[in-house]
Amino acid sequence: MRLSAPFSRSGLFALCAAGAVLAGCAEPRTTTTPAGKEAPVAATGPKGVYEARGNEPFWNMTLADGALSVETPDGPRMARVIRHAYSENGTRYYEASDVKAALTASACTDSMTGQVFTDTVTLTTATKTLHGCGGALVPPTSLNNTRWVVTAMDGRRLRGGNFVPDTNDSATDENPNPAADMFAPTLDINDTGKISGSDGCNRYVGGLVFEPKGSVKAMPAGGISTLMACPGKQNDIANTFRPLLNSVTGWTTDGTHLVLQTSGGKTMRLRQVF
């Protein structure tokens, strides 16, 4: 995803890590009421880090090592020690001096990407209330109406997979450009699961139908719709991609990546683009 603002939603903020200094950083204190409505809770996620985000305005929140960090496009990043952490009626709360995060285990759809996360998150500061999604990414059951760029083929990482394709790149379905210094193939899946894209050199149409829940069905290919001669590395990538694509037998997700499995036991990894 690309953002036009100088603020970036991606990435995690290192808090209380080795070599970093955050005064007063400690494990959150927790209280329990006599009625038992409050109970100790902790941030969950990779290596004890929890991240949430929202749109309009864009914001990003991180819980880690007993601290809460918030970044918005209209102000400096806030880093606060969590003073009180508890759970009540199915919602986890993290409170600092001037900010409070409420994490509810209820499916949340990101309004920009359409990705679904496990938690609905409300962030309250002294001046505003922000709404967004957090927790783990919920794997999709269908790939219809999605678009992907290849980042690795059988373990071979592609430099071009680090960039979002546009109409000036050879990796786009719309306007392949053999002179561009980017050769990552793409995979466009339409509303019925049929595919098209670029092999890194020429456009292709058909050959597979992506069905729900990890299933893939072979179909007659429409062939190569452009017949450009591509030099060296570009031709090598195209010749590697096409046999792998033709042998795909299933799909899974790994975090934000799509993993295609082939009949020969090889894999391709792809990153979603919008």
Side-chain angles (χ1 to χ4, degrees), residues 9-267:
R9 290 172 43 193
S10 62
L12 299 176
F13 304 109
L15 298 175
C16 302
V21 176
L22 183 62
C25 191
E27 290 299 316
R29 296 194 302 272
T30 307
T31 61
T32 304
T33 65
K37 292 184 178 181
E38 298 184 358
V41 290
T44 57
K47 297 182 180 179
V49 177
Y50 182 98
E51 188 177 31
R53 61 191 62 81
N55 307 312
E56 300 179 353
F58 297 120
W59 59 270
N60 190 95
M61 180 199 79
T62 303
L63 293 169
D65 295 323
L68 187 156
S69 177
V70 180
E71 187 173 7
T72 62
D74 58 353
R77 181 168 66 90
M78 299 170 55
R80 302 288 189 269
V81 175
I82 298 172
R83 296 182 172 182
H84 188 195
Y86 61 97
S87 177
E88 188 172 85
N89 298 325
T91 297
R92 291 168 288 162
Y93 295 94
Y94 296 85
E95 298 179 354
S97 57
D98 55 356
V99 60
K100 178 178 180 180
L103 287 50
T104 303
S106 174
C108 178
T109 302
D110 186 286
S111 61
M112 174 172 286
T113 67
Q115 293 175 319
V116 180
F117 294 83
T118 54
D119 297 337
T120 297
V121 179
T122 300
L123 189 67
T124 305
T125 70
T127 59
K128 65 186 69 175
T129 298
L130 302 170
H131 302 279
C133 303
L137 185 66
V138 178
T141 58
S142 170
L143 297 178
N144 290 3
N145 290 315
T146 59
R147 183 178 185 185
W148 308 82
V149 60
V150 176
T151 61
M153 297 187 297
D154 192 28
R156 174 186 176 185
R157 298 180 64 182
L158 302 183
R159 186 190 68 82
N162 295 325
F163 303 95
V164 177
D166 61 34
T167 54
N168 295 315
D169 295 322
S170 65
T172 58
D173 185 36
E174 290 84 358
N175 182 30
N177 175 9
D181 185 22
M182 179 175 173
F183 314 128
T186 61
L187 175 69
D188 293 355
I189 305 173
N190 69 14
D191 58 359
T192 64
K194 296 179 181 179
I195 66 170
S196 62
S198 167
D199 64 10
C201 176
N202 287 288
R203 293 178 59 187
Y204 65 86
V205 178
L208 296 173
V209 177
F210 281 79
E211 299 183 319
K213 300 181 180 180
S215 178
V216 176
K217 180 175 67 176
M219 66 167 289
I224 302 296
S225 61
T226 55
L227 297 173
M228 296 183 292
C230 300
K233 182 178 179 181
Q234 191 170 358
N235 189 61
D236 176 52
I237 288 176
N239 287 337
T240 301
F241 170 77
R242 287 194 297 271
L244 286 175
L245 184 67
N246 292 337
S247 62
V248 168
T249 57
W251 62 271
T252 60
T253 56
D254 179 12
T256 58
H257 275 77
L258 172 66
V259 181
L260 304 184
Q261 302 145 338
T262 73
S263 57
K266 298 181 179 181
T267 61

